[in-house]
Structure formats: C-alpha cells, structure tokens
Amino acid sequence: MAKSRAKIKQIWLPSVLGRLTILFFILSLLIFYFYVVGNGQGFADATLFFLMDLESWVLALGALAGMFSALAYGMSAPFRNRLYFDRILLSGLASAFCLLMYLGMALLGAFLESYP
C-alpha cells in the first residue's frame, strides 16, 4: 500500500522549539542557582553581574522560544492526528515563567546599579 505524501512529511519545528524552550528553562534555573550560591559564598561583583547578564539573555531566549513553540504547536494542530494540548500549555507556561523571571532580574539589576 502506498502512503499518502501528507502522512510521510513530519512536522519537526514545534518539537524542536519545545525542546529548546525546556533547555533554556533548565539553563536559567541552573544559572539562577549559581547566582544565589555565589551571592552566599561571596563571589566577586563582576562575576555576579556576569551571571545576571547571562541569566537575562537565557531568559529572553527562553521566553521567545516558548512563545514560538506554543504558536507553532497551535498552527500545526490541523495537520496532526493529535492536538498536543499539554505541549502547548507547557510551552506557554515555560515562556510566561521565563518572562516573569526576566522582569525580576531586570528589576534586581536596576536596584543594583549605582546612581550618578
């Protein structure tokens, strides 16, 4: 039996973006852990500011990847056999959490800057 061409093609972009979102989320938690431990251990200020900058970049990338992943899962739903509502929800929640942590890190960075 010949399979139709629509069944052979795989939609890979939502899956890649979802895994990238999870990677950025885990990296952001790991960097935040190093920041908290470094703050307690007395790391140098330059190291803590580097960790804050790195955390901000990872959180921004995680939020963007999560939004695009949820959007890609939603747009590819008519072409799939299943809805994957759980993946849409997890991508959206990871994106929202990354965005909230990014705003918190930006607020922390604003308080730590010196005033002229």
Side-chain angles (χ1 to χ4, degrees):
M1 258 188 205
K3 292 184 178 181
S4 67
R5 287 189 128 337
K7 295 283 184 181
I8 293 174
K9 291 184 180 181
Q10 297 291 324
I11 301 172
W12 55 270
L13 184 63
S15 177
V16 169
L17 287 174
R19 290 175 182 164
L20 196 61
T21 301
I22 298 301
L23 174 71
F24 284 138
F25 179 70
I26 291 171
L27 279 176
S28 71
L29 291 178
L30 185 65
I31 294 169
F32 184 69
Y33 169 75
F34 284 132
Y35 178 79
V36 170
V37 168
N39 201 9
Q41 294 290 325
F43 282 8
D45 288 341
T47 305
L48 291 176
F49 283 127
F50 172 73
L51 285 173
M52 281 182 58
D53 289 340
L54 188 63
E55 177 79 7
S56 296
W57 278 101
V58 169
L59 286 170
L61 289 173
L64 286 175
M67 284 188 282
F68 285 131
S69 174
L71 184 66
Y73 271 121
M75 289 178 61
S76 66
F79 304 109
R80 295 179 178 266
N81 293 337
R82 248 180 74 196
L83 179 59
Y84 292 113
F85 183 71
D86 55 342
R87 294 182 184 177
I88 296 171
L89 183 67
L90 285 176
S91 294
L93 286 176
S95 176
F97 185 75
C98 285
L99 188 62
L100 285 176
M101 278 190 63
Y102 177 78
L103 292 175
M105 290 301 287
L107 183 65
L108 182 64
F111 283 128
L112 290 177
E113 287 181 5
S114 61
Y115 293 106

